[in-house]
Amino acid sequence: QVQLVESGGGLVQAGGSLRLSCAASGSIFSINFMGWYRQAPGRQRESVASITGGGSTNIADSVKGRFTISRDNAKNTVYLQMISLKPEDTAAYYCAAEVSSTILPGSKLYWGQGTQVTVSS
């Protein structure tokens, strides 16, 4: 079994910064893809940023230049640094990881429970 635990969300004023963390634990052999998604009330979940095991990143146009994704492979942790936050960034943020476990064949996409980010104007 694999668990993803996010942290770092909260309430911040527009223009402020937050850093989200997501730590994976459990029966992990390797982690390829790690990413951040967000879902605002009444809207579909959307991809925010992703990073491969080799460090290649993909950032959504809506947050490009303001959000940065990084990972610490030794800690099985992915980060999302968010600056210049806007009210429209308000959402529940979820991390996801494609994990090859030590007890199951193949790989599986796991999700965290989500952390709320609220940006006030």
Side-chain angles (χ1 to χ4, degrees), residues 37-49:
Y37 296 76
R38 66 185 182 186
Q39 186 167 20
R43 302 189 66 176
Q44 288 189 331
R45 188 172 296 189
E46 62 176 354
S47 175
V48 176

Side-chain angles (χ1 to χ4, degrees), residues 2-76:
V2 174
Q3 298 83 36
L4 300 182
V5 178
E6 299 112 331
S7 60
L11 173 64
V12 64
Q13 288 188 331
S17 302
L18 283 173
R19 188 192 194 209
L20 305 183
S21 300
C22 173
S25 63
S27 305
I28 298 170
F29 176 73
S30 64
I31 303 177
N32 183 19
F33 162 94
M34 300 188 84
W36 288 95
Y37 296 76
R38 66 185 182 186
Q39 186 167 20
R43 302 189 66 176
Q44 288 189 331
R45 188 172 296 189
E46 62 176 354
S47 175
V48 176
S50 63
I51 185 167
T52 67
S56 297
T57 61
N58 188 51
I59 309 292
D61 287 342
S62 59
V63 304
K64 198 165 291 184
R66 300 188 297 119
F67 290 13
T68 303
I69 188 169
S70 62
R71 64 189 281 174
D72 184 334
N73 291 329
K75 296 181 179 179
N76 290 330

Side-chain angles (χ1 to χ4, degrees), residues 1 12 32 34 50-51 78 83 93 101 104 106 118:
Q1 189 72 315
V12 64
N32 183 19
M34 300 188 84
S50 63
I51 185 167
V78 62
I83 66 171
Y93 283 69
S101 78
L104 292 174
T118 302

